[in-house]
Amino acid sequence: MSVLAVSSAASLGCSPSSSQTSATDSAASETATDATEGSSTTGAETTTDASSSDSGQTTQPPLPECGDGVVGGGEQCDDGNGSNNDACTVTCVAASCGDGLVWFGMEECDDGNLDDDDGCLADCTPNVCGDGFVNLGVEQCDDGNAVDDDACTNACKIHKPGCGDGILDEGESCDDGNLDDTDDCTSECQPNVCGDGHPHAELEECDDGNADDGDACLSDCTLNVCGDGFVNAGVEECDDGDLDDDDACPSTCMNAACGDGFLFPDAEKCDDGEANEDGLYNGCATDCTPNAACGDGVIQGDEGETCDDGNNVSDDGCSATCESEGPPECFIYALLDEPERNVLFNDGQGGVTECDATGDTWYRLTGAAGTQLPMSPPEVYACGTDAPGWLNGAHPKVDDGAVDRQVCFHWKSEPCLFEAAIKVRNCGDFYVYKLPDPPSVCLRYCGE
């Protein structure tokens, strides 16, 4: 032991023992003797006794002091620093678990005791769930294992088996930690499936606990609605799987009936619903048959009709409101528009030969065929036939109405070898002709 370590202990009030004192005195004596022997006179120099002074007193070495880096005077250690977190404390006592000081690198905690039921264990490690030691006030239990379905859970809480605790116990197919019947696991700890009586909030529209398709909730856990093909007893009278309003089961899923406002063609002529009224012009009677109306083909003069052509279409001589628009033939006619019907078309004998079958109907010439019957004889073989037909007379004025005229058919050297009686009307912008079948085969009406 060095002299310096001992004096450090003395400075902290630590009195050296008698054995330590004797050792010190002996060491001092040896030092003095060595000094005396080593100070022999050389030349004019003389030695001085280091152990004496003018006063005759002897100097003593310093006492040991804690913190001087020298172990002595009852110290267990002395590392010469002021840290309480290493192997030697500031009181020169060796660090140990339970001294209340955390020894860095060696201890994780140190609460000054060796209890295993608080936050720091007797080995100076933290008391954590699963270490087998119950941290009082923090843990209910600690069985030191990772089994979650025994008496002590992995959260160090006492386990009382039951649905909703988040632990899968015997007899449970699932346990999501709650008793909510609208998620994947019900309050009986069974999977939430269609037909169990628990509507799943995200996957099911309903769940009435049965597979009956005749009530409000179908067997696939969707709502029973009109048009799905399943009759909801007590709510629907019918359900044909569509929302058509013109069949026996309209979109109300009530059987079609007169007065429901839906026209069922197989049984009704009309249906205005609550507006059905007998004798109402243009209306529907209470038996779902039409009352007198525009378009029924009967002129109702007392209702202001001036015509009734049996339809509700305008621009055919009688408007949709049964008002006269002019002669019907100026609106209803067939078209003659073939290019070879024109008088300018003539491919000679053996060429195109068409024969008219006009059937005494009103016609209008248009397009490449021309706009009217020619009023002079065309050449033989003109108009795509052998004997072309032409109007033997003048076209009428608008005010003349429908007039009788003659059509002649030119053949050989006879401009009017054949003839037909027709009617002509001037409709203002065009002419219409009522043309009977020609009097012989392979005759044709021409245009220009």
Side-chain angles (χ1 to χ4, degrees):
M1 179 182 297
S2 68
V3 176
L4 181 59
V6 174
S7 63
S8 297
S11 67
L12 290 177
C14 299
S15 300
S17 64
S18 59
S19 61
Q20 290 175 328
T21 304
S22 298
T24 303
D25 292 344
S26 173
S29 175
E30 291 174 2
T31 303
T33 301
D34 291 341
T36 303
E37 291 176 353
S39 60
S40 59
T41 304
T42 304
E45 295 177 359
T46 56
T47 60
T48 303
D49 188 353
S51 62
S52 63
S53 63
D54 292 342
S55 62
Q57 295 179 344
T58 301
T59 302
Q60 299 295 323
L63 296 175
E65 181 179 352
C66 182
D68 58 7
V70 179
V71 179
E75 297 174 338
Q76 294 179 1
C77 58
D78 195 321
D79 54 7
N81 64 47
S83 174
N84 264 329
N85 301 117
D86 53 14
C88 188
T89 68
V90 295
T91 60
C92 291
V93 176
S96 63
C97 181
D99 61 6
L101 304 172
V102 178
W103 182 0
F104 289 164
M106 299 296 291
E107 300 173 340
E108 296 181 48
C109 61
D110 196 318
D111 56 2
N113 64 58
L114 298 179
D115 294 337
D116 283 327
D117 58 3
D118 53 13
C120 188
L121 299 178
D123 62 358
C124 287
T125 58
N127 191 333
V128 295
C129 182
D131 58 12
F133 299 101
V134 177
N135 188 353
L136 297 178
V138 177
E139 301 172 337
Q140 295 179 354
C141 57
D142 196 319
D143 54 7
N145 64 47
V147 179
D148 204 33
D149 59 357
D150 57 9
C152 188
T153 71
N154 289 340
C156 288
K157 294 183 179 180
I158 295 174
H159 178 208
K160 295 180 180 179
C163 182
D165 59 6
I167 299 173
L168 191 63
D169 296 315
E170 184 178 356
E172 297 178 343
S173 297
C174 59
D175 195 319
D176 56 3
N178 64 59
L179 298 178
D180 185 1
D181 281 326
T182 66
D183 57 12
D184 293 336
C185 189
T186 68
S187 59
E188 290 90 16
C189 283
Q190 299 299 320
N192 194 333
V193 296
C194 181
D196 61 7
H198 302 297
H200 193 293
E202 297 180 2
L203 304 179
E204 300 172 340
E205 295 180 5
C206 58
D207 195 321
D208 56 5
N210 64 56
D212 184 4
D213 286 327
D215 54 16
C217 188
L218 300 179
S219 57
D220 63 356
C221 290
T222 58
L223 293 172
N224 190 336
V225 296
C226 182
D228 58 13
F230 301 100
V231 177
N232 188 355
V235 178
E236 300 172 339
E237 292 181 352
C238 59
D239 197 318
D240 56 4
D242 63 57
L243 297 177
D244 294 339
D245 287 327
D246 57 359
D247 54 17
C249 187
S251 59
T252 58
C253 283
M254 307 301 285
N255 293 325
C258 179
D260 60 8
F262 302 111
L263 180 61
F264 182 25
D266 291 348
E268 302 171 338
K269 297 297 183 182
C270 61
D271 196 326
D272 293 334
E274 295 181 357
N276 285 355
E277 181 180 338
D278 293 331
L280 179 65
Y281 176 69
N282 272 341
C284 187
T286 55
D287 62 355
C288 288
T289 57
N291 293 323
C294 176
D296 61 7
V298 179
I299 298 176
Q300 308 291 329
D302 55 349
E303 297 293 347
E305 295 181 355
T306 58
C307 63
D308 196 320
D309 55 4
N311 64 54
N312 295 110
V313 179
S314 294
D315 299 326
D316 61 356
C318 185
S319 71
T321 57
C322 291
E323 296 175 328
S324 296
E325 298 175 317
E329 56 266 27
C330 288
F331 296 91
I332 302 175
Y333 46 74
L335 298 177
L336 299 175
D337 57 3
E338 305 92 333
E340 68 273 9
R341 189 181 289 276
N342 195 290
V343 294
L344 299 178
F345 181 86
N346 191 329
D347 57 356
Q349 184 177 4
V352 176
T353 304
E354 298 289 345
C355 309
D356 275 342
T358 44
D360 203 28
T361 301
W362 287 96
Y363 289 91
R364 174 184 174 182
L365 285 157
T366 186
T371 59
Q372 65 182 40
L373 292 176
M375 291 182 291
S376 60
E379 294 292 332
V380 175
Y381 302 119
C383 307
T385 190
D386 291 339
W390 56 283
L391 182 64
N392 186 14
H395 281 89
K397 298 178 181 179
V398 173
D399 293 340
D400 292 338
V403 299
D404 294 325
R405 290 289 187 268
Q406 180 190 50
V407 169
C408 290
F409 296 90
H410 182 196
W411 179 240
K412 302 296 185 180
S413 58
E414 297 291 334
C416 200
L417 181 61
F418 305 101
E419 61 182 58
I422 70 168
K423 286 186 176 295
V424 184
R425 179 181 283 277
N426 187 334
C427 291
D429 295 328
F430 55 89
Y431 298 105
V432 290
Y433 307 90
K434 190 176 185 183
L435 305 176
D437 289 336
S440 182
V441 295
C442 288
L443 303 180
R444 199 177 196 195
Y445 298 101
C446 292
E448 69 174 3

